[in-house]
Amino acid sequence: MTEGRTRDECLDQANRSLLRSAPVGPPAAFVLALTLGDAVPWSRRLVFVAAVSLVNVFGFVSALFYLRRRRAGGGSSQRWAAPTYGFALGVAWSSIALVGFPSAHHVELRTVIALFIAGVSATNIVSAAGMRSLFWSTQLPLVGIPTVIYLASNERVTRLLGVSMPIYLLVMIVLYLEVNRTVVSEIELKHVNADLIADLTAQQARTDEANLQLREANEALTELAMRDHLTGLANRAAFLERLEAAMSMARRSQHVVGVIYFDVDRFKIVNDSLGHGTGDDLLVGLAQRVQSVLRPNDVLGRLGGDEFVVLLDNLADSYEAVIVAHRIRDALRTPFELGGRAVPVTVSFGVATTLHQGDGAADLLRHADAAQYSAKQGGRDRVEVFDIDLRARVERRLDLERELGDALRTGAIIPWFQPQIDLDTGAVVGAEALARWQHPERGLLGAPEFLPFAEEVGLIVHIDEQVMAQAIRARVALAEAGVDPSFRMWCNISPRQLTRGQPVQRLATFLELVGCDASGIGVEITETGVLVDTEAAARELTVARRLGVRVALDDFGTGHSSLTLLRELPIDEVKIDRSFVRDFVHDPADAAIVAGVTDLAHRLGLAVIAEGVEEAEQETALRALRCERAQGFRYGRPLPLEALFDTLHLARRADDAAVADGLAVADHLAAPAAAALLGDPGAA
Ligand code: C2E
Ligand code: MG
Ligand code: MG
């Protein structure tokens, strides 16, 4: 292929030279003829000029047609034309030897022929470039035939000429090969370059195409990554980006940017009771309604779940943002039509603006979130504006969260133990493990000082695990010290952990690792918390009971559906809340409740324990009701483990490592989850 192309190019080249040289051929021949002078008759000189001119004219015409055809895209037929004319030109020009050296000049015919041949073969070098076969087929007979004839001669001089002819031929061959090689390699180089350029161009085109596709795909992905899939609104990343941009503009132009943060009050109930599909429909409908009351420049985003944010640019003051929040609130007043029923929703709003702070977009968002949280705390369905006070509260919360995380890491969360007695025998038959925080500055903190907060930020799950692990280890230490095998250690499980974590599975692992019998352990579930997902709670508790762990319903009577829970949850005991126990001796209503609950529990085959027992009268009354156990300051306040040993009149055999061992076990088991949670408390 390339070879054919190379030859074609050689031919093109030859034709072009023919075309260019043809016009100068005849005048040049004429001038040459003039120089020969009178010694050569005009008739001969004109033959020479005519021969050269004829060949040039035919060569010119042939080359012209050839090149035209080629330019029109035709193939290179008539390949032989140019080399043949080239050869013919050589013959015509060399015929000057025959014309110019007549016998009158005493030049031998053989010399004249030799000169003629030399001329022809010299032109052949050029005219046959790129066409080796042509060169050989003309050159060999041209030189070979006279050589053979000369060598066969009797004359010494002629034979000498015969010998010199092949030498001359050799020189011609070397020259031809050199010229041929140069021409061919030049053309090939041109082809290689052309191919290379063509390749590069094609490759570039492919790369351009690929780049374009990549860019389009990237743009599509970015677009997708910036959208909330459900509502099509800006997602957190996109919203923050917009907010950042708006805030940096605002810094220059001195105007105010505001953020409204809102979420649906008790959205979880809608989701749980009507199903997630309906929950999604509500979010989509809500987004549309909110959008309809915003200005075109306001940006509505969804941060996830039922949390929405609005970016308000170009405000004069915070008040404007509050007005927008109220407008949204009004728009959401009409109940949503979902699955054929009207679902009323209320929303809590937090507003923050750049007016009082110089922080970044994430801070502004956090402040709006804090204000929204405060709106929820303040009774929901309200608009709250972030201010300096709120800011201080937010900072305190952040500090607390960090400190609590540290406390979990350093083992500063420990259980204290409050004894429980058997009302029949008066013997201590169990203890409840209650969380305490050994705070480096504030001293020992009681459960109400940090548990509600831990519950809020999700750290409660880890607190429960650490307390539980240490309590189980303490139960083992008591056993080693000879405590009665029926002694039971009770741990509290937060409702959140019950439905989110896998507390029972972890409990089983703790028991096995520490080598504790399940019958030595009980768990208390707070009634108010179980409500959220009763089925999941029931499943967990069934597994716990199968292990041999006893289950008590804590704070009984304080929740909304205590009686329903009695039917739906697999429990062993009911723990009457201390708010009923406190005055039941004097207050007939409380007395009726305590008596009724005890009777009811007994009929259901459940044991009853009363908490908050402080006085002898309470104990007597409870005994009369046949209540099984009691817990309260009357028998002992929550104590550290050493003091529990004393209360039980046990000498502590194991050293102080007992509780620490439990902590190590909890750490070991909880490490990955805790790392995830503690590293990012917001993730919980
Ligand atoms: P609870 O489970 O009902 O625990 C009993 C609470 O009542 C304890 O408060 C205890 O000190 C207190 N108490 C006991 N007897 C009396 C008494 O005679 N009079 C009075 N006025 N109070 C008495 P504490 O330790 O402050 O714990 C409060 C609540 O915190 C607990 O109530 C429990 O719900 C929760 N809690 C404690 N530790 C943990 C824990 O490790 N995990 C979880 N999830 N919750 C815990
Ligand atoms: Mg309890
Ligand atoms: Mg309780």
Side-chain angles (χ1 to χ4, degrees):
M1 178 83 186
T2 324
E3 213 170 278
R5 222 162 49 156
T6 308
R7 195 195 48 218
D8 288 349
E9 291 245 344
C10 284
L11 287 174
D12 290 352
Q13 191 58 45
N15 276 285
R16 275 194 293 272
S17 350
L18 207 58
L19 207 62
R20 277 195 291 270
S21 64
V24 285
F30 186 71
V31 171
L32 192 59
L34 276 181
T35 59
L36 288 178
D38 292 340
V40 181
W42 262 111
S43 55
R44 281 214 223 164
R45 286 192 256 169
L46 283 179
V47 168
F48 164 69
V49 174
V52 170
S53 302
L54 263 180
V55 177
N56 270 316
V57 169
F58 283 113
F60 182 84
V61 174
S62 148
L64 200 66
F65 280 106
Y66 179 90
L67 288 173
R68 261 209 201 148
R69 249 199 324 277
R70 289 281 286 162
R71 208 165 297 146
S76 47
S77 63
Q78 310 235 329
R79 288 208 171 91
W80 295 102
T84 308
Y85 280 117
F87 182 73
L89 264 178
V91 173
W93 278 107
S94 305
S95 68
I96 191 75
L98 304 174
V99 173
F101 298 101
S103 50
H105 287 212
H106 310 291
V107 180
E108 301 276 342
L109 180 63
R110 58 188 174 215
T111 312
V112 170
I113 290 174
L115 280 174
F116 171 73
I117 290 169
V120 173
S121 61
T123 16
N124 212 21
I125 289 180
V126 182
S127 60
M131 298 192 79
R132 280 176 195 229
S133 53
L134 180 74
F135 178 79
W136 294 122
S137 59
T138 50
Q139 204 65 22
L140 286 178
L142 194 67
V143 180
I145 295 169
T147 304
V148 172
I149 295 171
Y150 286 176
L151 285 175
S153 165
N154 311 340
E155 278 179 312
R156 210 177 125 257
V157 182
T158 310
R159 277 204 307 276
L160 264 177
L161 206 57
V163 172
S164 65
M165 292 285 281
I167 297 173
Y168 172 76
L169 176 64
L170 207 65
V171 174
M172 287 298 113
I173 290 173
V174 171
L175 273 176
Y176 172 75
L177 289 179
E178 190 54 29
V179 169
N180 195 62
R181 196 178 59 80
T182 311
V183 171
V184 167
S185 61
E186 185 121 329
I187 288 171
E188 277 174 356
L189 196 66
K190 211 169 89 191
H191 286 163
V192 169
N193 277 341
D195 288 350
L196 210 63
I197 288 167
D199 272 3
L200 283 175
T201 315
Q203 205 171 329
Q204 185 64 42
R206 280 197 300 272
T207 314
D208 285 351
E209 170 77 1
N211 276 343
L212 188 71
Q213 283 172 356
L214 204 65
R215 202 169 51 234
E216 281 169 2
N218 261 338
E219 276 163 11
L221 270 180
T222 314
E223 171 69 14
L224 213 63
M226 299 303 254
R227 296 248 147 257
D228 166 53
H229 300 314
L230 179 65
T231 56
L233 298 176
N235 63 14
R236 179 184 289 272
F239 186 84
L240 273 173
E241 210 171 83
R242 300 283 291 268
L243 183 56
E244 205 99 56
M247 284 173 75
S248 78
M249 283 289 287
R251 268 191 286 276
R252 261 172 269 143
S253 60
Q254 306 273 305
H255 65 250
V256 178
V257 170
V259 168
I260 303 175
Y261 198 115
F262 62 94
D263 78 2
V264 181
D265 297 329
R266 300 198 177 89
F267 177 68
K268 196 168 172 6
I269 294 179
V270 176
N271 235 358
D272 287 348
S273 54
L274 302 180
H276 288 263
T278 311
D280 285 354
D281 291 347
L282 171 61
L283 296 176
V284 172
L286 182 139
Q288 282 165 355
R289 238 191 248 180
V290 174
Q291 194 89 67
S292 72
V293 297
L294 294 177
R295 300 172 304 181
N297 283 345
D298 302 335
V299 180
L300 176 61
R302 177 174 172 233
L303 302 184
D306 61 331
E307 292 176 354
F308 290 87
V309 272
V310 180
L311 160 61
L312 303 169
D313 203 355
N314 244 326
L315 300 177
D317 55 27
S318 306
Y319 187 64
E320 258 186 74
V322 175
I323 292 178
V324 177
H326 278 282
R327 205 193 309 146
I328 297 175
R329 184 165 160 246
D330 292 343
L332 300 176
R333 279 265 175 270
T334 324
F336 285 84
E337 284 295 326
L338 296 172
R341 72 173 87 184
V343 179
V345 297
T346 61
V347 173
S348 301
F349 298 85
V351 173
T353 62
T354 47
L355 209 57
H356 300 297
Q357 50 116 28
D359 306 320
D363 297 304
L364 190 60
L365 206 58
R366 211 176 34 244
H367 293 161
D369 181 18
Q372 187 257 184
Y373 175 76
S374 167
K376 280 238 186 291
Q377 301 292 92
R380 302 191 165 92
D381 191 18
R382 309 155 44 105
V383 177
E384 184 88 39
V385 183
F386 185 81
D387 61 11
I388 303 297
D389 267 7
L390 200 55
R391 181 186 193 130
R393 290 209 295 281
V394 167
E395 274 160 15
R396 266 203 304 282
R397 270 170 60 86
L398 285 176
D399 284 349
L400 191 59
E401 194 171 335
R402 203 191 51 246
E403 285 176 11
L404 195 52
D406 286 347
L408 277 166
R409 270 186 286 266
T410 56
I413 304 295
I414 53 159
W416 277 29
F417 303 90
Q418 185 175 31
Q420 296 178 351
I421 59 126
D422 184 321
L423 281 171
D424 267 350
T425 61
V428 178
V429 291
E432 178 177 8
L434 295 158
R436 297 291 180 267
W437 178 0
Q438 284 175 320
H439 195 280
E441 287 134 32
R442 294 158 64 195
L444 191 75
L445 302 183
E449 287 173 89
F450 64 98
L451 285 191
F453 176 74
E455 179 91 45
E456 224 175 272
V457 295
L459 289 174
I460 186 75
V461 175
H462 299 279
I463 291 179
D464 280 358
E465 279 190 357
Q466 290 205 355
V467 169
M468 187 187 280
Q470 295 176 78
I472 292 173
R473 188 62 190 86
R475 175 65 181 77
V476 172
L478 289 172
E480 284 166 357
V483 81
D484 192 278
S486 66
F487 184 93
R488 204 181 308 270
M489 183 68 84
W490 293 86
C491 303
N492 293 283
I493 291 187
S494 118
R496 181 176 180 122
Q497 195 198 6
L498 193 63
T499 45
R500 282 220 192 156
Q502 293 167 311
V504 176
Q505 192 191 323
R506 297 184 90 68
L507 172 66
T509 317
F510 288 151
L511 290 172
E512 198 179 318
L513 271 174
V514 177
C516 180
D517 198 311
S519 65
I521 299 296
V523 291
E524 295 185 6
I525 311 301
T526 316
E527 174 195 345
T528 44
V530 182
L531 280 173
V532 181
D533 190 349
T534 322
E535 267 176 48
R539 271 198 305 276
E540 282 291 315
L541 297 180
T542 306
V543 182
R545 291 180 78 208
R546 233 179 263 145
L547 280 177
V549 169
R550 240 171 124 80
V551 176
L553 197 54
D554 204 356
D555 304 337
F556 188 79
T558 55
H560 295 288
S561 47
S562 308
L563 295 181
T564 318
L565 287 180
L566 276 188
R567 199 181 53 207
E568 290 181 354
L569 290 182
I571 55 172
D572 302 292
E573 302 194 0
V574 165
K575 200 168 182 183
I576 303 179
D577 191 67
R578 66 169 184 275
S579 59
F580 300 110
V581 176
R582 190 173 50 224
D583 292 326
F584 90 104
V585 181
H586 309 292
D587 181 334
D590 282 351
I593 291 174
V594 172
V597 167
T598 309
D599 185 49
L600 176 68
H602 284 160
R603 282 167 194 264
L604 292 170
L606 307 173
V608 179
I609 172 167
E611 66 177 13
V613 180
E614 297 184 358
E615 290 144 20
E617 282 175 296
Q618 291 167 321
E619 183 185 318
T620 314
L622 288 167
R623 196 174 285 122
L625 290 172
R626 307 211 57 74
C627 179
E628 278 83 359
R629 295 199 322 281
Q631 177 182 340
F633 293 168
R634 173 165 169 73
Y635 316 103
R637 291 181 177 256
L639 314 158
L641 186 59
E642 299 76 35
L644 181 65
F645 270 86
D646 295 342
T647 304
L648 292 168
H649 308 294
L650 295 172
R652 204 163 162 193
R653 277 202 306 177
D655 56 17
D656 283 327
V659 167
D661 272 5
L663 198 60
V665 169
D667 267 356
H668 163 70
L669 282 174
L677 197 92
L678 297 181
D680 178 11

PDB file of all heavy atoms in Angstrom, residues 432 524 554-555 575 577-578 611, ligand 3:
ATOM      1  N   GLU A 432     -29.975  -1.479  91.434  1.00  0.00           N
ATOM      2  CA  GLU A 432     -30.117  -0.861  90.118  1.00  0.00           C
ATOM      3  C   GLU A 432     -28.844  -0.065  89.832  1.00  0.00           C
ATOM      4  O   GLU A 432     -28.374   0.699  90.686  1.00  0.00           O
ATOM      5  CB  GLU A 432     -31.330   0.078  90.079  1.00  0.00           C
ATOM      6  CG  GLU A 432     -31.472   0.774  88.714  1.00  0.00           C
ATOM      7  CD  GLU A 432     -32.696   1.665  88.593  1.00  0.00           C
ATOM      8  OE1 GLU A 432     -33.371   1.884  89.620  1.00  0.00           O
ATOM      9  OE2 GLU A 432     -32.955   2.141  87.469  1.00  0.00           O
ATOM     10  N   GLU A 524     -34.320  -2.601  82.738  1.00  0.00           N
ATOM     11  CA  GLU A 524     -35.494  -1.751  82.953  1.00  0.00           C
ATOM     12  C   GLU A 524     -35.723  -0.911  81.700  1.00  0.00           C
ATOM     13  O   GLU A 524     -34.806  -0.276  81.197  1.00  0.00           O
ATOM     14  CB  GLU A 524     -35.251  -0.812  84.147  1.00  0.00           C
ATOM     15  CG  GLU A 524     -35.109  -1.555  85.446  1.00  0.00           C
ATOM     16  CD  GLU A 524     -34.993  -0.610  86.637  1.00  0.00           C
ATOM     17  OE1 GLU A 524     -35.145   0.615  86.442  1.00  0.00           O
ATOM     18  OE2 GLU A 524     -34.741  -1.112  87.746  1.00  0.00           O
ATOM     19  N   ASP A 554     -40.210   0.251  83.638  1.00  0.00           N
ATOM     20  CA  ASP A 554     -39.815   1.288  84.609  1.00  0.00           C
ATOM     21  C   ASP A 554     -40.824   2.441  84.624  1.00  0.00           C
ATOM     22  O   ASP A 554     -41.536   2.641  83.632  1.00  0.00           O
ATOM     23  CB  ASP A 554     -38.434   1.809  84.194  1.00  0.00           C
ATOM     24  CG  ASP A 554     -37.676   2.402  85.363  1.00  0.00           C
ATOM     25  OD1 ASP A 554     -38.235   2.484  86.458  1.00  0.00           O
ATOM     26  OD2 ASP A 554     -36.495   2.782  85.152  1.00  0.00           O
ATOM     27  N   ASP A 555     -40.834   3.198  85.683  1.00  0.00           N
ATOM     28  CA  ASP A 555     -41.647   4.423  85.774  1.00  0.00           C
ATOM     29  C   ASP A 555     -43.095   4.169  85.385  1.00  0.00           C
ATOM     30  O   ASP A 555     -43.732   4.991  84.712  1.00  0.00           O
ATOM     31  CB  ASP A 555     -41.073   5.533  84.867  1.00  0.00           C
ATOM     32  CG  ASP A 555     -39.624   5.816  85.186  1.00  0.00           C
ATOM     33  OD1 ASP A 555     -39.194   5.519  86.325  1.00  0.00           O
ATOM     34  OD2 ASP A 555     -38.910   6.325  84.305  1.00  0.00           O
ATOM     35  N   LYS A 575     -42.487  -1.618  87.554  1.00  0.00           N
ATOM     36  CA  LYS A 575     -41.850  -0.791  88.574  1.00  0.00           C
ATOM     37  C   LYS A 575     -42.686   0.476  88.725  1.00  0.00           C
ATOM     38  O   LYS A 575     -42.713   1.319  87.812  1.00  0.00           O
ATOM     39  CB  LYS A 575     -40.422  -0.459  88.127  1.00  0.00           C
ATOM     40  CG  LYS A 575     -39.518  -0.033  89.256  1.00  0.00           C
ATOM     41  CD  LYS A 575     -38.063  -0.012  88.795  1.00  0.00           C
ATOM     42  CE  LYS A 575     -37.148   0.367  89.932  1.00  0.00           C
ATOM     43  NZ  LYS A 575     -35.756   0.470  89.514  1.00  0.00           N
ATOM     44  N   ASP A 577     -43.851   3.998  89.424  1.00  0.00           N
ATOM     45  CA  ASP A 577     -43.084   5.237  89.451  1.00  0.00           C
ATOM     46  C   ASP A 577     -43.154   5.903  90.826  1.00  0.00           C
ATOM     47  O   ASP A 577     -44.185   5.870  91.506  1.00  0.00           O
ATOM     48  CB  ASP A 577     -43.611   6.198  88.389  1.00  0.00           C
ATOM     49  CG  ASP A 577     -42.683   7.376  88.215  1.00  0.00           C
ATOM     50  OD1 ASP A 577     -41.549   7.149  87.743  1.00  0.00           O
ATOM     51  OD2 ASP A 577     -43.077   8.504  88.584  1.00  0.00           O
ATOM     52  N   ARG A 578     -42.042   6.550  91.171  1.00  0.00           N
ATOM     53  CA  ARG A 578     -41.980   7.094  92.529  1.00  0.00           C
ATOM     54  C   ARG A 578     -42.930   8.276  92.739  1.00  0.00           C
ATOM     55  O   ARG A 578     -43.252   8.625  93.870  1.00  0.00           O
ATOM     56  CB  ARG A 578     -40.557   7.451  92.922  1.00  0.00           C
ATOM     57  CG  ARG A 578     -39.910   8.574  92.177  1.00  0.00           C
ATOM     58  CD  ARG A 578     -38.623   8.956  92.899  1.00  0.00           C
ATOM     59  NE  ARG A 578     -38.025  10.104  92.236  1.00  0.00           N
ATOM     60  CZ  ARG A 578     -37.223   9.988  91.184  1.00  0.00           C
ATOM     61  NH1 ARG A 578     -36.909   8.794  90.704  1.00  0.00           N
ATOM     62  NH2 ARG A 578     -36.740  11.063  90.622  1.00  0.00           N
ATOM     63  N   GLU A 611     -40.666   2.113  93.592  1.00  0.00           N
ATOM     64  CA  GLU A 611     -39.432   2.909  93.702  1.00  0.00           C
ATOM     65  C   GLU A 611     -39.720   4.184  94.480  1.00  0.00           C
ATOM     66  O   GLU A 611     -40.881   4.614  94.595  1.00  0.00           O
ATOM     67  CB  GLU A 611     -38.833   3.199  92.326  1.00  0.00           C
ATOM     68  CG  GLU A 611     -39.660   4.092  91.449  1.00  0.00           C
ATOM     69  CD  GLU A 611     -38.976   4.411  90.106  1.00  0.00           C
ATOM     70  OE1 GLU A 611     -37.987   3.753  89.755  1.00  0.00           O
ATOM     71  OE2 GLU A 611     -39.469   5.320  89.433  1.00  0.00           O
TER      72      GLU A 611
HETATM   73 MG    MG B   3     -37.872   4.621  87.570  1.00  0.00          MG
END
